[in-house]
């Protein structure tokens, strides 16, 4: 049985101040992969650990992404 402490959800990610695409950009993964991990369709210890390591920040929707 999983505890709340072990589960990363979309609400948990939003509470920390990140959207799926923003978190994916920061940890260097695709948004589709991060989305599958957050929604429980795929398991990845590396992605889960990277998401847990993200520092809290204010949630900003519609962020401008600079093209490199």
């Amino acid at each position: 049985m999983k505890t709340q402490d072990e589960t990363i959800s979309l609400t948990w990610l939003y509470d920390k101040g990140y959207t799926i695409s923003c978190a994916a950009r920061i940890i260097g993964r695709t948004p589709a992969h991060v989305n599958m991990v957050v929604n429980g369709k795929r398991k990845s210890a590396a992605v889960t650990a990277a998401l847990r390591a993200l520092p809290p920040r204010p949630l900003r929707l519609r962020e401008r992404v600079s093209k490199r």
Side-chain angles (χ1 to χ4, degrees), residues 2-16 18-20 23 27 33-54:
K2 288 188 175 185
T3 63
Q4 185 69 19
D5 191 37
E6 298 172 338
T7 305
I8 291 180
S9 66
L10 189 57
T11 304
W12 180 88
L13 199 59
Y14 285 164
D15 287 345
K16 210 157 179 188
Y18 296 91
T19 60
I20 294 282
I27 66 172
H33 184 71
V34 173
N35 187 39
M36 286 188 273
V37 171
V38 168
N39 289 318
K41 294 180 181 176
R42 183 174 282 180
K43 293 185 181 190
S44 173
V47 171
T48 302
L51 291 174
R52 287 191 191 284
L54 291 172

